[in-house]
Each structure stands twice: as structure tokens, then as C-alpha cells.
Amino acid sequence: MKMKKKIALGLVLAMGLTMFAGCGGNSGDKNAAADNAGGDTAAAIKVGGTGPLTGGDSIYDLAEHHGAEIAEEEINAMGGVQFELKMEDDAHDAEKAVNAYNTLKDWGMQLSLGSVTSTPGTATSDENYRDSIFALTPSASATTVTEGKDNVFQMCFADPNQGSASAQYISDQQLGSKIAVIYKNDDVYSSGIYETFMSKAGELGLDVVSTTTFTTDSQNDFSVQLNDAKNAGADLLFLPMYYDAASLILNQADAMGYAPKFFGVDGMDGILTLEGFDTSLAEGVMLLTPFSADADDERTQSFVAKYQERYGEVPNQFAADAYDCIYALYQACTNANATADMTAEELNELMKEQFTTMTFDGLTGTGATWNENGQITKEPKGMVIQNGVYVGM
Amino acid sequence: MSKMIPIPSTGYLNERDIGKAPILEATHLGIEFGGLKAVDDFNLTVGRTEIAGLIGPNGAGKTTVFNLLTKVYQPTHGTILLDGKDTHGMNAIQVNKAGIARTFQNIRLFSSLTVEENVKLGMHNHTHYNTLEGILRMPRYWQEEKRTHERALELLHIFDMEHLAEHKAGSLPYGAQRRLEIVRALATEPKLLLLDEPAAGMNPSETEELMENVRKIRDIFQIAILLIEHDMQFVTGICEGIAVLNYGKIIAKGTPQEVINNPEVIRSYLGNRRAIMLKVENLNVYYGMIHAIKDISLEVKRGEIVSLVGANGAGKTTTLQAISGMLKPKSGKVSYLDHNLLATPAHKIVQYGLSHVPEGRRVFAQMTVLENLEMGAFISKDKVKNKNNLDSVFEHFPRLEERKRQLAGTLSGGEQQMLAIGRAMMASPDMLLLDEPSMGLSPLLVKEIFKIIKELNEDGITILLVEQNAKQALSIAKRGYVLETGKIVLSGNAADLLENDAVKKAYLGG
Amino acid sequence: MSFLSNLISGISLGSVYAIIALGYTMVYGIAKMLNFAHGDVIMVGAYICFFATMRYGMHPIIGVLLSMIVCTLLGIVIDRLAYKPLRQAPALAVLITAIGMSYFLQNSAQLLWTSSPKVFQSVIGNGSIKLFDGALSISYVTLVTIVVCIVIMIGLVLFVNKTKIGKSMRAVSEDKGAAQLMGINVNTTISLTFAIGSALAAIAGVLLCSAYPTLTPTTGAMPGIKAFTAAVFGGIGSIPGALIGGILLGIIEIFAKAYITTQLSDAIVFAVLIVVLIVKPTGLLGKKISEKV
Amino acid sequence: MKLKTMNKTTRSNMITYAMVIIAFVIVQIMLGTGNISSRLQGQLVPICAYIVMAISLNLTVGVLGELSLGHAGFMSAGAFSGIVVASCLSQNTSNEILVLVLSMLVGGVVAAIVGVIVGVPVLRLSGDYLAIVTLAFGEIIKGIVNNLYVGLDGSGLHISLIKNTLQMDGGKVLINGPMGLTGIPRIASFTVGFILIMVCLFVIFNLVNSKSGRAIMALRDNKIAAQSVGINITNYKLMAFVISAAMAGMAGVLFAANFSTVVASKFDFNTSILILVFVVLGGLGNMRGSIIAATVLTVLPEVLRSFSDYRMLVYAVVLIVMMLATNNPTLKNGLNLAWSKIAGLFRKNTEKGEQANV
């Protein structure tokens, strides 16, 4: 027993020393050089955000980080309002998200990009509301992110209108007579879209013949779900989920020789960049996404070119959402001629007033407006994957 | 020593206890493990304040009887009356509450707890406060803890161990650990105390002191004591009644004098009262704190049969295990045909031609007889030699050939012993270490095994024989060593040893 | 018809569990050690094969062989580094070390190959044969998995019962002390068991990812635990038991999903484990291991 | 109990109590004077929760000697049941502390009941099989809570499983299946956390130094000997299990009440292992070690955010090294030597130090 005490004490002591060295208050974070690309620190408004740098969904965090950095650079180059951007890791976990938020608060965050994913988004938006720090989240789409908080706005579709927009789109375009739905029942994003989709489908009289679910742990075998859909004779499969599970479903459906039409949501974006995925399987997959990298307008082309040249891959709509957030903040700050020395509370009031009145044109939608509980209304674009590329429908 | 008076039903009762109901009456007690009758038709009566002994050769079923009395095993037939009450259907905890306490052959203390805590645990069912009162430190907690604290010191005082109260039980020397186990058993306030080889590994002075203490316990607490012990001086010196168990049956009962002179007991158990290949020099072996082998030296010349005799627990098996590398000795030199065995890992030693037939045979029960023999030939690549070895084993042990497809586990004790020796022969050894081949075998089988050992020796195999059956072992050996509590006390030609009166007294009940 | 298709997918899922369970049974049966990291050795095997075939364009067979070699070495290193020093240690210490090793493999994989999922191009191609005019389809992967599973099981049973080394393994699993006296080096035997178990893990990894192509550092965790359930269900230590246990568990999971609820299918599988451990801890074909007083 | 006659263990317990009280006072001063980083302030309540989780797991693993891999399951049972009660209560009483304490009690009782449900089947097993069954129970609890829908409206609580059919008119959804607890009344307080730690320490220390505690430790050392002195093995094993579960349940409520949302998959196998790392690093059976390890290993990753993705790797190595160091004789002697050299060095320069300033 004595031996164990010595070892434990030694280890704990060593760790304790590093703790006290690091924890000497928040001096440690001031020199966050890495993220401080461009713009002098003197007159810049500090914008902070949290995202899953580690863990399963890290590709979204990277995409948003890069998109926002490009926007920050362009805006600071224009000489008007200056921004200083900083992203912290929350590993898609509510507790770590609040810790990341507090680290950013110590850093002196004045405006916030909220969180990338829904569960952390709900937790940090509650903190944003309490501390009255204005938040504009690029992709945390759950209703609980904006519910009851007047200073938290969403650039992405809220789950409800993503679900109902998809149902509306399917019924308008008569894409399928018998519809099957497979959703991930332990994921806030997927079940949120599913619930609103089902209520809208009920209104529109869409015939939903099969509804099945899966969880993170059973995210490998979909034969039961696909069999259920096939036997019910579904000719359209609605997949409100992220692309990694969707790629499995496409793969197994093809192996089973079951070839219905597939309809995804913005989470499907990124399936084409999945390493080793046979894009032919995704042929004909339709999805509602606000951003298409092949759109012909000049702004999209310059963003896509700059992103590709700097990061070596085609930007997805999460990068575009983040890019638009920075520009929306820029537009609001310029209109309200906000300055860097304003406190978070002052900026919060200005932003609330601006966002409930202004309309914003960005890569992910033109003529976008926000209602007072933070949800955006903008025209979703229907996309279909044809020979490995998104094409407008 | 009060007179023993025969009573009609089951033998003898101490004069003191006549008229009082006996504390323990076991009648036709028995248990079968998969067809093998470990204990069969066991009858014993113990008076209210009698110190009774239960002796018998190793493997005769003594510890199994204790496990039956304390319901660690549920008996398959027979009844046990404790103080008149039938313990049928009771579990181990109820039996303890009813008044039976025990110690264990291999010490089982709560080593991470202190000495006092161990004794307090003995008083577990006699400490009158519940968990909640303990947590909230209610008055009854303080009273009871104070009472049990004093009671514990009082009990420790019997073995004058109260100064050790704060020590961790695990850190005590061997003798003290033995005594603590007895004190803990006493703390459960038993009516009958079962002691399982209390004097094992104790030197003569410690044994003397223990005898004094057992008597003192019986007189202070007025309880009965039933003990298993191999040290004959201890048993004859302290027990009022002795029952002799062999092959799971009681074969004799009565006062020490009557039992020793009983011819049947002598024949089966006491054996009225039985170019240098291997060189061992001042070998020392420790079991944790216990100095089990104290600086022994012995040698075996080519072609000899040398016997190493001594009571159980004297260290015979430990010596063999140290030689064959199954345990690491502290110091000393063991050389076999100029190989330094201490430096060779266990599995290489057999390659030098030294095979060890372990105590208790340890055949591979779930493998067939043939597979066991094939394992014996694990090291040899030579197919032809294996075939010859196999034939010679079947020639020595025809019964093995009849049963070669059978699982080793289903063989009888004797057959398993033959298989163990056969398995060792498959490695075509030049020398055999035989550890208690006669253990648990009927007298006539023992004769057959010793005949085969003699034949193997005539075929040129040198043998170091470890045996408790002193007379038999010494009669076929050329030379012998007598081991007592880890030290060689006597050595010489087997014939002289047979005549030597010290040996006679110690092992032949002279 | 859906009953048959569910049965087929049950068997295909079950055969993957069975192959992993064979690895568990070998190691637990011989070394009396629950190798928690076995699931993660599978993940490593899959990654090696993925890189060999996808990144460096090697032929799938070479990919499989390469991952078997790497996993075998990994198995031996894990045994020598983490488990051999604890041969005499209490079971608690060995189990915690195994959990530590499992986390170590998962997190090193995450640092080396990032956590973004990789799509594993099935080594066997992903066609399938159609029965009853297309109503029922069995993918090649399932067929190969089942065949490989049975072949390995037969191979192992023969190896353990007929060859000298195999028998020495059984001897070690019964009585380490007595085996030593026969000249059997216990440590090398246990390392050999780990080597074989890990080689099986490599095959299991390749087949698992051929059936379910996304691959992340935590891919091995849940199938590992479910395969242990299968090994215990079949009777830990019995090789045929691992096969039967695996197949049965796969069928139970699929039928639970199909006929009870997809949402609680995992909970049902774990409920099966608990019931088996309590009612019959030795499982369907296991041997009784009594503790001597 | 005069100080002089206090035996060694009681004295060490007093030191642990003192350590916790001093830490609480220091933090209160920092809070009062406001020079505390909001990162640390945000972590105060979770640290209390993790400490209680660590000392309660230590009761099962260190004192009883049985490895439980499903400890987070009890935390989850406590959290979800406690927060439902908190939501109901906080509608008609504004006294937050009262609501928090009551819901913690309910959470503790529910977790204790789950502890009995898990404990009874587990008692017959031990070692590897027991660990795996506790892991299985943890996953089952997560699965069930993931499919639980609980709503509160005028006519009271509505509970449904699997399908989301709550038939509520208006009212609030408390547990929304996979979305977990939403709109949690954030009534967690550091003071209540501190009191919970003190109460748990009081119960554990007094239990261990009483007849029942001795019986539990006897089970750890030698089951057969314990039976021979009349100790009912199943009773005491169950007692240790249920007390540990109840404490985990209360910690769960405290933890959940600190965030606006908590999902079931937060209390999964990884959290159980995280707590196990605290216990193992702190030393099995050493409550003070568990408290220190839980605090350091909760604050440290936030301080060294840049290394946070190496965090789990470090924990894995800690588990392996600790087990090897304390169980393998050769390694133990090696480290013993190293330790004595360092200590020697340390002693030498402290002596030099003393001579310098004497």
C-alpha cells in the first residue's frame, strides 16, 4: 500500500505544479497568436466561437474555422470595422463547450459565433443570454438554441424549417409517392428535423410508409431499416442525418439492389469529400442546401477559389455559413457604427436591433431576414448530385 | 488426563463430560465429489469440554471433514448435531452463529486490516449496533466499540499479543499470524473450536507454548476443541480423545495410548509409526516472512534411491519445488550434472533429464491419458524414442493402456498416480523427483507403486523419493535424510535410520 | 420473406461477432485474461488494410496479410509490455491495464489518422447473389465471412486438439505449474495465444469493415464488447461456443431491431449478457471452473 | 475522542476534512474579491460533482474491492430523475436551495433503487464478470434514458417510452428523448456542492471505521474467512453498492443543475472510465487521493487547452503505469529506489536550505 501512495503523490504533485503555473488567471490566453490572422489587435472587435476540433464531427469545425478566417481577412483588409477571431474546442460536449465559452469570456469576447453543433449550441446560447453577449451561430440548428433567448440568432436553417422545407419541397416536386424515413434517434439534429418533417408531411398528406431509427453504437448495420423501407415499397428515402451514416446507407442499399430516390439535408454535405467513398453511389441524391460551390455568381466563385487555393478542398456549406456570419456581423456593426472599445452589452443591444431589421445577402441565400426569436428565413436551394458534383434543381 | 469411559453408541467420552450432552455428534457423515467418496460414513462424538484430535495421512479427508462441519461443503449424507441441534439446512453463517468457529490450513487473515480489527471482526455478530448508528456515531456505537476494544485486548492477552493491536495483520511473523487466527475464531464465542494444523511450521518451543495456550483456552472458555495436526508430540501431548481418519473413514478412536498401539492404525498410517547426480548446498527458501527451508544440503549419487522423510509441513515438497525451479529459493546452490539449476528456468530443467512428479499428481484432467503422456514427451522430437517410452510405460502400467482414450480426470487416485509417474518417464529422464507417490492410496496400491519405483531404479533411473510413509520409503532406499521444520536433523544409510530410536520415536511411534 | 432477409442479416452480423469472439475465447481460455483491447486491435487491423489497399493501391490479399502481420506483432508487444508483468497480479489490476491499453490504442489511432471517418473499400467487392428472383439478397461479404469463420473455427479446433503446440496451450490453460514441469515455457505459450488471437483480430477487422465500410478510431470498441458478450454466451474458452454464441447474438440483435424496437436494440443485447452471466455463467458450452477452498 | 488517543486513520480523516474546508474558504475569498477566472468559476460545481463521483466509486473499487464500470449510469439515473423533480418543484417554490436539496435527495434515492436492481444480480459474480455486468447496466440505463419522453402540464407528469406520444396540452417537455433534459432550472450552487462532499466524506469515513465498514473490507481481503466469522457476504456487498450508487445519483443532480441541457450520452462508458482514472491515480481506498486527483484532472485539461487532445492518451498511460507500478514486484523495487533517491535529494537540499536561513 505504501508504494501506491508514493507513486500517486508524485504524479499528482507533478500535475498540480503545471496546473498552478497555467491557471495563473487568464494571462495565458492573451497571446493567442495562432488564430490572430491579419488585422492589428488594437481596434478589433473580439469574436469568439466553440466547435468540435476533436471527436467525430471535426470536419465541420475546420470548415467553419477556415470560412470565417477568409471573411475576417477580407473585412480587415477593407479598413472599416476590424475583427479578431478565436475558436475554442468543445469536442461536441455541453460541459466542455461551457468551459470553452468561459475561456473566451476571459479572453474578452465581445461578439460570439455560438457553437458549431446543436447540443453544445444549446448550452452556450444559455450563457450568451445570461451574459448578454450577442451570438450568431453558423450551424447549431436546434430550436432550443434560440428558444427564449433574444440575443441568439442562427445563420443556418433552424431544424423546423429544414424539416418542413424538405417536406414542402418533396410534395411540390412530387419526388416520391411512398416515403421512408431513417433518422438517428440519439442525435439532437437528426431527431429535430425528423419531428418537424413528420408534422409538415402530415399536413401535406405525404404517405410516410416506414420510419426506422439507429444510434451511434448501432451505426453499422442498416439492413433492418432498409428491408423495412423496401418491403413497404418506398420509392423515396428521406435521410435527415450527417454524411458518414448516410454513406453507409447508400452503400448497403446498393448492395441490396434497392434503389429508391434519396433526399438528404444540409448534413449530407461533405459526402463527396469523404476519403475513399465511391461517389457513383451518391448519384442522384437530392438535398436542400443553402450553398452550392458551383453557383455562377462572382462572390461564390472568388470564395471557392480562395478556399481551394488555401485549404486544398472545395468548401462545403458550413464554411459558407461561417463566412456569411462574419459578413452579417460586419454589415450590422457598420450600420450601427459599432467600435472596438464598446462593451459586449452595448454591442449586444446594437446587434439585436440591427438583426431584427436588416436583410442580408450572402453566399447561402439572398434576401435573408431574421424574426425576433433568431430564426432565419431564406430560400433553400434544391441540389442534386450528378456525376460527382452538386447541380441546382 | 481424565479417564476415558467407553459409551455405547460412538466410542469414548471424557469423564468430565459424562452426563452432559456432547457438543458435537456426527453420524454417517459423507460427501462425494463426482463419484469419488472423499468422506464416507464418518462418525465422531466430542464432549462439551473435550480437546479432541483428528489425525490421518495427508489426503485422508481431514480438511474436508472440517468443511462439512462448517457447511463450506453441504454433506451428501449423514447428520451433524451441534449441542443437540441438527445443523441440516444451515449455511456457513448460521453454523458459526450456532457456535462452531474454525481456523484454516493455509492462514486466512484480513491482511490489510490491523490485528485489533481482525479480532473485532470475529465479534461481528456480537457487536450490537447497526450500520446507521455507526455512521451517525450514536451512543451505542461508542459503547459497543469501547466494549469490543477491551474484549479484543483481553482475548489478545491470552497469547500476550495485545501490544501488536495496531500492527497490520499481514506484517506479523508466521507464528503470531497462526495465533491471531485462533484468537479471531475465539472472538465469535464458539461452543466448539476447530483448529486446522495449528502447529504447522512451528518450532518445538513454539509448539510447546501452543499446547499450553490450547489447554488454557479450554479451561478459561469451557469450550470443546477439535484439532487436525501431524505433529505427533503435540497431538499425543494435548488431546484427550483421538480419532484416526484414513481413506475418508474413521478407523480407530480412543485415548492417545490406545490409538498408537492399535495395530490397524500402525499398519496403515503410522507405518508403526517407515558418480553424485544431484547436489544441493545450503539451500534457503522463504514464503514471504516464513523461513521454510533453513540451510539444507543433500546429494544423490547415480543409480541410488534416496529418501527424504519428515512430517507434513516439514518442507519436503518445498525442497523439491526449489530444485525443479517451481519456486525461487533465497540462497544456496543446486547443481545437477554440472548444470546450475537455480539459473535455469523451470521448463528447461526437464531437458537435462531431471523429471519431477509433483505432489498431488496434477494430471491434465480434461485431456485423455494418451494426451497426458504425449505432453510428457513435449521436449523430445525423436518419434522412435517416444514410441519406445510409450511402450515401456504401458508395460509398467498395463491399466493405463486399457484406459488410454479416457479423460485423465475420470481415473482413480492410484491410476492418476501411475499416469503422473508414466508422464514423467515419457521425457526419458535419468533422474526422477517423486513427491509423496503413496499419498491417498490404499495400502495394497502403495505396495504396488513402491514395487514399480524399485523396478524403475533397476532400469537405471536415479530417484529422490519424498515420502511421509517413513518406514516404506526408508525400506526401499539406500540412503535417507530426515527433515524437521525445514532443517535436516538426521542422515545416513536407510537401514541405520530404520533402527535409530530418535527416528522411531518421531515417525514410527516407537 | 422479411423473416428470411432478417435472418440472413442476423447471420452476417453474427459471423462478424463470431470471428472477434474467437479471438476473445482463445486469449481468455488460455491466459485467463479478458483482453479489453482486442476490439481495438481489430480497428488497427482495418486501418492497416485500408491504407495498404486505398492509399498505396496494394492488392487486397497483400493488404490482409500486412494487417495480420502488424496485428500479430501488436498482440505480442501488448502481452509482453502490459500483461506479462502482471501474471501474478490480482484480476482487478489486469482488467484496468487492459482498459488502459484499449484507450491507448484508440487515442493513438485518433492522433495518427485523425478521427474523420474513412470509407473502407470492401476487400471482397460488394456484389451479392440474388435468391427467389431478387427478393432476398446475400452479399458476397456475408458469404465470405461465414465461410472464413467456419474455416478458422475448424482450423483452431484441429490445432488445439491435434498439434503438439495446441495441446501444450490446453495444458497451460489447465495447470500452469504442472505444464512447466513438462518443459512447456508458459510465457511463450501465452504470447503465442496473443499472436494467434491478434491475427484473427486482423481478419475480423477486414471483414467487419468490408461489411460496414465506415472506419473511425472507435470502430472496434462496441463490436468488441458485443463479441465478448457472444464469447461468454457461447461459453468462454470453448472455440465452437464462440462461433455459436456469435451467430446467435447477431440474430438476436437483428430480430430485436426488426421485431421489437430499433431504438433499444443495444440495451436488449446487453440484457442477454446479464441473463446469461447470472443463469449460466459458463455459457452454452463452457467448462465448470470451481474455486478450491 | 481526545486528540492524543486518536488513532492513525482518524487523524488522516481529519486532515482530509480540513483540506476540503480550507479549499472552500480560499475559493470563497477568490469569489468575493472577484479575482477568479470565469473558466475556473464555471468549473467549480462540476469539480464538486466529480469529487463525489470519485469518492463514491472508491467505496466500491477501493474499499469493497469490486470494479464497477457502470458508475456513470447511477449518475445519469440520479440526474434525470432529480431534474424532473426540480422542474416540478421550481414552478411553485422560488427557494432554489430547497429545490436543489430536495431534488438531490430524490436523485439519490432513485439511483439507490437502481443500485439495488444492479446489485442483486451482480452479487453472485466477481472480478471480470462483475465488471462486465456493471458496464452492461451502464449502457442499458443510457439506452433507456435516450428513449424517455417526460412532459409536465397542468394535469401533472406524462411519461412515455420509445414513441414520442406525450398527449400533453401545452405544458413543458422536460426530457425529450435523445435531446435529453432541456430548459433545466440552473439552481446548482458551489456551497451545496461543498456540503455534499462533506456529507459524503462523513458517511464514508464513519462507515469505514465501523463494524459494517470492517465487514466490507473483510470481504475484499478474504471472502471465505469473512464467511467463517459469520459475515453475510451478500448484505454487505449490496450495502456498499447502494451507498455508492446513491452518492453518484446526488452528484448527478448537482452536475445537471449546472447546465441548461444534459443528454444521456454524456453519462456513458467513457465517463465511467474517467472517474476510474481519478480513483486509480488517487490510490485505491485513499479518499484524499481521489479528491486531489478529481480536482487536478478536471481543471488541468482546461488550463492546457492546447494539449487537450492528448488528454485521453495521458489518462490511458496513467492507468497502465499505475497498475504496473503497484502490482509488479520488479518494477516496484525499481521505482522504490528512484523515489528514495529523489526524496534523498529533496531532503538534502531542504537540510541545506535550513542551514542557510537558520
Side-chain angles (χ1 to χ4, degrees), chain B residues 347 362 365-366 374 378 423, chain C residues 164 167 174-175 182 185:
Chain B
H347 59 272
R362 293 171 75 162
Q366 305 285 334
E374 277 165 18
F378 181 78
R423 184 176 63 178
Chain C
K164 190 160 92 164
K167 281 186 219 160
E174 255 183 68
D175 185 336
M182 300 299 118
N185 179 336

Side-chain angles (χ1 to χ4, degrees), chain A residues 21-331:
Chain A
C23 142
N26 37 42
S27 59
D29 316 315
K30 272 283 170 305
N31 41 42
D35 309 317
N36 191 353
D40 50 13
T41 54
I45 299 177
K46 292 187 175 158
V47 180
T50 81
L53 193 61
T54 55
D57 318 328
S58 54
I59 105 152
Y60 302 122
D61 181 68
L62 287 175
E64 288 192 16
H65 201 139
H66 296 158
E69 263 169 11
I70 294 180
E72 178 202 23
E73 230 170 74
E74 286 171 1
I75 289 168
N76 289 351
M78 287 195 272
V81 169
Q82 300 290 306
F83 285 128
E84 184 194 342
L85 174 69
K86 190 170 192 317
M87 293 287 275
E88 282 293 344
D89 173 29
D90 68 16
H92 190 51
D93 168 76
E95 181 192 359
K96 293 196 192 64
V98 170
N99 291 342
Y101 170 87
N102 285 329
T103 315
L104 291 167
K105 218 168 92 179
D106 290 341
W107 172 62
M109 167 167 72
Q110 292 161 299
L111 288 174
S112 155
L113 289 178
S115 299
V116 169
T117 46
S118 295
T119 309
T122 315
T124 51
S125 59
D126 203 64
E127 303 288 334
N128 283 95
Y129 179 64
R130 278 166 174 254
D131 302 336
S132 53
I133 296 178
F134 181 81
L136 173 65
T137 169
S139 56
S141 55
T143 48
T144 49
V145 171
T146 55
E147 218 167 36
K149 295 142 199 160
D150 63 359
N151 68 334
V152 178
F153 287 70
Q154 286 168 329
M155 175 58 81
C156 60
F157 283 112
D159 289 347
N161 55 33
Q162 171 137 228
S164 46
S166 307
Q168 189 65 50
Y169 197 85
I170 290 172
S171 89
D172 296 352
Q173 311 280 338
Q174 276 97 29
L175 295 175
S177 58
K178 287 201 172 81
I179 297 162
V181 183
I182 302 178
Y183 73 97
K184 189 173 182 198
N185 77 346
D186 70 344
D187 170 26
V188 168
Y189 166 74
S190 180
S191 14
I193 297 174
Y194 162 71
E195 272 150 26
T196 47
F197 176 82
M198 288 307 278
S199 53
K200 188 71 176 175
E203 270 163 47
L204 298 168
L206 287 175
D207 178 9
V208 178
V209 292
S210 147
T211 315
T212 49
T213 65
F214 64 95
T215 60
T216 336
D217 299 333
S218 63
Q219 192 173 309
N220 46 32
D221 179 83
F222 290 95
S223 52
V224 170
Q225 291 89 341
L226 286 169
N227 270 325
D228 192 76
K230 187 176 170 186
N231 299 339
D235 56 4
L236 180 94
L237 196 53
F238 179 55
L239 301 173
M241 61 184 70
Y242 288 114
Y243 67 96
D244 48 3
S247 68
L248 261 175
I249 291 180
L250 292 174
N251 200 298
Q252 286 181 27
D254 176 59
M256 277 171 65
Y258 172 49
K261 291 204 211 81
F262 293 96
F263 198 95
V265 286
D266 58 10
M268 181 71 83
D269 194 351
I271 193 159
L272 297 177
T273 58
L274 187 57
E275 192 179 353
F277 178 67
D278 163 11
T279 50
S280 70
L281 287 173
E283 205 48 34
V285 171
M286 294 167 281
L287 58 129
L288 279 186
T289 167
F291 167 71
S292 144
D294 327 315
D296 35 31
D297 69 297
E298 185 272 339
R299 233 174 138 209
T300 311
Q301 286 316 324
S302 87
F303 171 68
V304 169
K306 200 173 285 183
Y307 193 98
Q308 224 158 356
E309 167 252 320
R310 180 173 302 189
Y311 303 111
E313 54 187 25
V314 173
N316 60 25
Q317 48 102 25
F318 292 93
D321 276 328
Y323 181 85
D324 280 355
C325 279
I326 301 293
Y327 265 91
L329 287 174
Y330 173 70
Q331 178 178 320

Side-chain angles (χ1 to χ4, degrees), chain B residues 6-43:
Chain B
I7 53 164
S9 63
T10 48
Y12 295 82
L13 256 185
N14 193 309
E15 184 193 17
R16 244 193 341 277
D17 299 330
I18 292 293
K20 281 181 260 163
I23 186 69
L24 175 75
E25 278 171 286
T27 44
H28 312 303
L29 198 57
I31 187 162
E32 279 175 44
F33 291 124
L36 190 65
K37 279 199 173 53
V39 170
D40 174 25
D41 192 20
F42 173 86
N43 300 294

Side-chain angles (χ1 to χ4, degrees), chain B residues 67 72-73 108 324 326 346-347 350-351 356 358 362-367 371 374-381 423, chain C residues 161-165 167-168 170-172 174-186 287-288 291-293:
Chain B
N67 288 335
V72 174
Y73 298 153
R108 288 179 178 273
S324 68
M326 282 176 74
H347 59 272
V350 69
Q351 287 160 6
H356 176 188
R362 293 171 75 162
V363 293
F364 301 121
Q366 305 285 334
M367 295 166 81
E371 284 175 339
E374 277 165 18
M375 279 298 100
F378 181 78
I379 49 163
S380 94
K381 305 279 184 294
R423 184 176 63 178
Chain C
N161 289 326
K162 292 294 179 274
T163 66
K164 190 160 92 164
I165 301 293
K167 281 186 219 160
S168 71
R170 276 172 53 205
V172 165
E174 255 183 68
D175 185 336
K176 290 193 175 67
Q180 230 171 356
L181 295 180
M182 300 299 118
I184 301 168
N185 179 336
V186 171
K287 324 193 265 298
K288 194 86 195 74
E291 202 212 341
K292 227 155 75 44
V293 166

Side-chain angles (χ1 to χ4, degrees), chain D residues 152-296:
Chain D
L152 176 72
D153 67 0
S155 60
L157 274 179
H158 299 261
I159 297 172
S160 82
L161 202 58
I162 320 286
K163 285 284 172 300
N164 176 10
T165 51
L166 275 178
Q167 307 106 8
M168 279 202 319
D169 45 16
K172 206 161 74 117
V173 174
L174 301 177
I175 300 180
N176 191 358
M179 300 199 198
L181 290 160
T182 47
I184 300 174
R186 289 182 59 176
I187 46 175
S189 99
F190 177 58
T191 324
V192 170
F194 161 69
I195 294 165
L196 179 64
I197 296 173
M198 293 302 281
V199 166
C200 291
L201 277 178
F202 179 80
V203 168
I204 291 177
F205 283 145
N206 287 358
L207 174 70
V208 165
N209 293 335
S210 76
K211 158 182 147 179
S212 320
R214 276 194 296 269
I216 293 174
M217 289 191 284
L219 291 185
R220 173 190 62 192
D221 282 0
N222 198 312
K223 276 199 182 52
I224 294 163
Q227 201 172 28
S228 78
V229 287
I231 292 172
N232 181 325
I233 293 180
T234 37
N235 281 12
Y236 285 101
K237 216 172 176 178
L238 190 62
M239 179 193 293
F241 232 79
V242 170
I243 293 175
S244 157
M247 289 183 186
M250 288 196 272
V253 180
L254 180 74
F255 181 85
N258 186 52
F259 298 98
S260 64
T261 176
V262 168
V263 284
S265 52
K266 168 71 184 174
F267 308 113
D268 61 359
F269 175 64
N270 297 330
T271 312
S272 294
I273 295 305
L274 181 69
I275 311 285
L276 183 65
V277 171
F278 297 160
V279 170
V280 167
L281 181 63
L284 293 182
N286 174 350
M287 295 303 160
R288 194 185 315 149
S290 296
I291 294 174
I292 297 173
T295 314
V296 167

